[in-house]
Amino acid sequence: MGVEQSGFTGFGNPVDPSPAELRAWAYRPDSVPLQSMPQDWDLLVSGDRLVGTLFELAMDRNCPARRFALHCLYIYAADGIRTNFRAHPKRRLRKLVEQAERAGDELMVNWAHNCRMLLAKPHLFAYPDWCEGGLVRSGRRLA
């Protein structure tokens, strides 16, 4: 039985969930509503430890929490780019962007495009777009 079919019973530590816990929650997000999570949970989980899991979830068109995972990828990318990759490795972000360009659907290709645009033009950063979900909600491609 895969994670998708199994029940999710909650996080051992919601501030620092394991990749398996995040994955299990993503396929049953109603089991622990986002509103009940710690403040700025999206910022807390958008780090190097979970970025691979977040990427897998964002690539899965059938994942109920896909848009949340994509939102976290925007946070991760902006954090890396805006800190000149002191926060996250440039190589890791580059690999994710390339994989999204190769195998992603429109949402993921847009994310990859927007990451490349922010790399080229850091002044395009706007907190509401990158860290509050604006680009996820709008589906907008930066120009």
Side-chain angles (χ1 to χ4, degrees):
M1 177 185 304
V3 169
E4 297 83 22
Q5 292 97 24
S6 66
F8 178 64
T9 57
F11 295 100
N13 178 1
V15 174
D16 187 23
S18 71
E21 288 174 330
L22 184 62
R23 190 175 295 106
W25 169 82
Y27 287 97
R28 307 226 7 151
D30 293 339
S31 61
V32 182
L34 276 175
Q35 300 86 323
S36 70
M37 298 308 292
Q39 184 176 0
D40 296 328
W41 191 60
D42 53 349
L43 301 175
L44 294 172
V45 300
S46 298
D48 289 319
R49 184 166 166 267
L50 295 172
V51 73
T53 303
L54 291 165
F55 186 81
E56 291 170 21
L57 297 170
M59 289 287 281
D60 183 355
R61 295 177 185 159
N62 297 314
C63 178
R66 181 183 192 205
R67 289 174 64 85
F68 174 79
L70 180 59
H71 164 62
C72 291
L73 289 178
Y74 271 103
I75 292 170
Y76 180 86
D79 194 29
I81 294 166
R82 288 180 37 81
T83 63
N84 199 27
F85 296 100
R86 287 186 303 278
H88 309 297
K90 185 175 189 175
R91 182 172 181 250
R92 180 173 288 151
L93 179 62
R94 185 181 38 117
K95 286 178 129 181
L96 294 173
V97 165
E98 290 169 357
Q99 188 175 347
E101 290 169 337
R102 269 193 323 275
D105 65 359
E106 184 179 2
L107 284 177
M108 293 304 292
V109 170
N110 280 350
W111 171 78
H113 167 84
N114 289 341
C115 289
R116 288 195 185 275
M117 290 301 295
L118 188 61
L119 267 167
K121 302 176 184 178
H123 68 274
L124 292 176
F125 175 80
Y127 191 88
D129 283 342
W130 287 86
C131 300
E132 293 178 349
L135 289 170
V136 175
R137 284 189 299 278
S138 72
R140 185 169 50 102
R141 287 174 66 101
L142 299 174

